[in-house]
Amino acid sequence: MPKNITIFTTNTCAYCVQVKKWLGAKGMTYEEVNLDQHPERQAEALEISGAYTVPVTVVTQQDDSKEVIVGFNLAKLAPAVAS
Amino acid sequence: MDTDKLYDVIMIGAGPAALSAAIYTTREDIDTLLFERGVPGGLAAVTDWVDNYPGFPDGLSGLDLAEGLRKQAERFGAVIELGEVLSIRDEGDHKLLETTSGEVKAKAVLLAMGSDYKKIGVPGEVEYYARGVHYCATCDGAFYRDKRLVVVGGGNSAVQEAIFLTRFATHIDLLVRSDHFRASDVLVKELAKHADKITVHMNTTTDEIVAVDNKIVKVVGTDKTTGNKVDFPTDGVFIFAGLIPNTQFLKDTCILLDEIGFVLTDEHLQTRMPGVFAAGDVRSGATMQIASAAGEGATAALKLREYLEGKPHPIAN
Ligand SMILES: Cc1cc2nc3c(=O)[nH]c(=O)nc-3n(C[C@H](O)[C@H](O)[C@H](O)COP(=O)(O)OP(=O)(O)OC[C@H]3O[C@@H](n4cnc5c(N)ncnc54)[C@H](O)[C@@H]3O)c2cc1C
C-alpha cells in the first residue's frame, strides 16, 4: 500500500478522470492538484514529469521512494500502487 | 473479463460507436464485452465542447457526453475491460482475440477502434513529443498559459482546438498547408471571431520544429506562394493534420481495408470475416462525427443480433 498518491490534473483532461476513477474503484485515496485552479503548481508538475501534460500521478511508497506515471498508463500505475 | 467464456459480442474500442452499440446489445441481453486501450468515450472524451450532438440544444462537454454514453451502456450490463486487442483470428464458430489481458473468445465482434492523429513526420516532432509537441489540446493546453503556440492543420479538429487554446495562449499561428480550410463554414466563421489571438497562414507547410536547450523556440515553415522559409516563434506546437485508422493489427487478416487503412464493409456493416462488423470512424466512408458513429453503432448492434440469431446476410466480395 503506498503512503500517498498525488495526481496533477486539469478540468478538461479525460485521461485524468480515468486515473481518478481507476484508483477510486480500487478504494485508493489520492490528493488531486488541479492545475486550472492552481496554475502556480504547474512548474512543479513539469519538473516531476519532464512533460507538458497531465495526468501526472506521483505514488509515494512507504520508504518515501517515488514513482511518477505520466498519462493513463495502467502497465505502470497498477504495479506502482500494488507495491 | 473471463478467458474461459464464449462472449456473444466483443467490441474493440469504447468510443461513441461501440458504446452506442453496447446500449442496444446489452438491452437485449446480448452478453457484451468492450476493450478500451485509452479512455471510454474515445475521441469524444478528449473534445472540449460538442455543439452538434442531437438532443443537447446548448451543447455539452465531450467529457460529459462520453461519461453519459459509458454509464448508459454499463447500466444495461456492458463490461468495459481496460486493455488493448492485439489480434483477431477466425476459428469458425467463434473469433479468438489476443489482448493485453489474455486470450478471449466471442461469437461476433464489432470493430470500433476509431482513428488517431497522424504524425506529420518533420524533424523535432518525435523528439519533443509531450515536451512541446502535442496532439490533444484538452489534455495539454493548460501548460501554455500566457505562451505563444503554433497549431498545424486546416480541418475541423485543428480549427476547433485552436479556438479552445485561445483560453490559454497569448497568440496562435495556425498553419494551413492548403489554400482553403477543410473545416466547416460554421467553424471558420467562429475562427474569424478570434482574429485578435489567432493568425491564419494559408498555403504554409510545416517543415521543422526547432528547440534550443530542450525547449521549443520556433517552427520553420514554407510559404508556398513565394517559396520563402518563414519562422514562427513559439513555445509549443499542436498538430491536427488528419487521422489514421487504428487498424494495424488487421493487416494480416482477411478483413479488407481501403488504401488508407479504413475497414471496408458492405451495407450491413459486415467485413469480409463472417461475424465481424465495423462502425464509426474506423469504417471506410464514415463521416467522422459523434452522431454518425452512434448511429452506425446502433445499426451494427441490430446486424450483430441478426447474425447471432442465425440470420446472417451473405458477405459481398
Ligand atoms: C478535437 C476533436 C474535436 C471533435 N469535435 C467533434 C464535434 O464537435 N462533433 C462531432 O460530432 N464530432 C467531433 N469529433 C469527431 C468525433 O470525436 C469522432 O467522430 C467520434 O469520436 C468517433 O467515434 P468512434 O467510436 O468511431 O471512435 P473513437 O472515438 O476514436 O473511439 C475509438 C476507441 O477505440 C480505442 N481503441 C483503438 N484501438 C484499440 C485496440 N486495438 N484495443 C482497444 N481499444 C482500442 C481507442 O482508444 C478509442 O477510445 C472531434 C474529434 C476531435 C479529435
Side-chain angles (χ1 to χ4, degrees):
Chain A
M1 194 74 176
K3 196 187 240 176
N4 60 57
I5 301 172
T6 305
I7 314 171
F8 292 87
T9 66
T10 61
N11 292 336
T12 52
C13 150
Y15 292 89
C16 302
V17 175
Q18 190 73 350
V19 171
K20 290 190 287 178
K21 202 179 285 160
W22 189 84
L23 289 172
K26 294 243 164 309
M28 310 207 104
T29 53
Y30 52 82
E31 183 207 349
E32 179 176 1
V33 181
N34 182 316
L35 297 178
D36 284 315
Q37 283 154 23
H38 297 284
E40 75 285 356
R41 295 191 65 180
Q42 199 166 295
E44 190 188 329
L46 183 57
E47 197 182 315
I48 290 170
S49 70
Y52 296 80
T53 193
V54 284
V56 171
T57 308
V58 183
V59 181
T60 307
Q61 306 294 359
Q62 294 297 339
D63 63 1
D64 284 332
S65 65
K66 289 187 194 304
E67 286 180 63
V68 177
I69 298 111
V70 180
F72 176 59
N73 183 343
L74 271 189
K76 287 193 173 162
L77 186 60
V81 299
S83 53
Chain B
M1 182 185 111
D2 184 346
T3 48
D4 294 328
K5 180 168 161 178
L6 176 61
Y7 286 90
D8 289 333
V9 177
I10 291 181
M11 299 186 178
I12 312 180
L19 288 170
S20 305
I23 292 168
Y24 277 72
T25 54
T26 51
R27 273 192 82 213
E28 301 199 15
D29 278 339
I30 296 172
D31 195 16
T32 305
L33 176 70
L34 296 90
F35 268 90
E36 176 51 61
R37 69 175 183 192
V39 282
L43 283 183
V46 298
T47 298
D48 170 45
W49 194 254
V50 179
D51 259 330
N52 55 3
Y53 193 77
F56 295 90
D58 303 320
L60 79 169
S61 80
L63 207 47
D64 285 345
L65 177 55
E67 267 301 282
L69 284 167
R70 181 189 64 77
K71 279 191 189 143
Q72 198 173 353
E74 287 183 340
R75 178 177 142 215
F76 298 115
V79 174
I80 302 174
E81 172 80 17
L82 295 173
E84 182 170 359
V85 174
L86 306 169
S87 71
I88 176 170
R89 219 169 55 221
D90 190 1
E91 301 271 290
D93 60 344
H94 70 271
K95 317 295 151 213
L96 184 70
L97 273 63
E98 186 198 347
T99 80
T100 48
S101 322
E103 285 189 344
V104 62
K105 300 183 286 286
K107 293 177 196 161
V109 169
L110 178 64
L111 305 174
M113 295 88 70
S115 42
D116 274 341
Y117 279 107
K118 231 198 266 178
K119 307 265 182 300
I120 53 173
V122 299
E125 185 181 19
V126 173
E127 298 86 317
Y128 294 100
Y129 172 62
R131 295 186 297 126
V133 177
H134 305 271
Y135 303 86
C136 175
T138 54
C139 311
D140 307 336
F143 283 88
Y144 294 94
R145 269 190 196 85
D146 305 323
K147 299 264 162 70
R148 277 186 82 103
L149 284 174
V150 164
V151 172
V152 178
N156 284 330
S157 310
V159 172
Q160 207 169 336
E161 299 292 69
I163 294 170
F164 170 77
L165 288 165
T166 57
R167 69 175 73 171
F168 306 112
T170 51
H171 186 265
I172 296 169
D173 287 302
L174 178 60
L175 312 191
V176 185
R177 195 176 49 177
S178 119
D179 63 356
H180 62 278
F181 280 107
R182 275 179 296 115
S184 68
D185 287 348
V186 183
L187 276 175
V188 175
K189 280 197 188 119
E190 187 59 32
L191 179 71
K193 294 183 194 157
H194 296 269
D196 56 328
K197 277 200 171 181
I198 303 177
T199 308
V200 177
H201 305 270
M202 304 303 288
N203 279 307
T204 303
T205 58
T206 303
D207 306 337
E208 188 180 356
I209 298 163
V210 180
V212 172
D213 293 334
N214 265 328
K215 274 195 153 184
I216 305 272
V217 290
K218 67 176 176 181
V219 168
V220 182
T222 302
D223 177 342
K224 291 199 294 178
T225 54
T226 62
N228 292 337
K229 289 275 179 200
V230 192
D231 281 354
F232 300 98
T234 191
D235 298 294
V237 189
F238 283 78
I239 299 172
F240 307 101
L243 295 158
I244 50 163
N246 293 319
T247 54
Q248 293 78 353
F249 71 95
L250 299 178
K251 292 255 157 67
D252 297 325
T253 68
C254 67
I255 294 167
L256 294 179
L257 308 177
D258 69 12
E259 65 284 359
I260 306 172
F262 290 96
V263 179
L264 287 163
T265 61
D266 63 14
E267 74 269 29
H268 302 289
L269 304 187
Q270 290 181 117
T271 71
R272 273 283 296 282
M273 191 184 281
V276 178
F277 296 74
D281 282 12
V282 78
R283 206 179 62 78
S284 182
T287 48
M288 307 293 192
Q289 294 295 306
I290 302 168
S292 45
E296 288 192 11
T299 305
L302 301 177
K303 299 294 173 185
L304 280 158
R305 186 187 65 190
E306 288 171 4
Y307 176 83
L308 292 168
E309 285 171 347
K311 294 183 257 177
H313 297 276
I315 295 177
N317 279 303

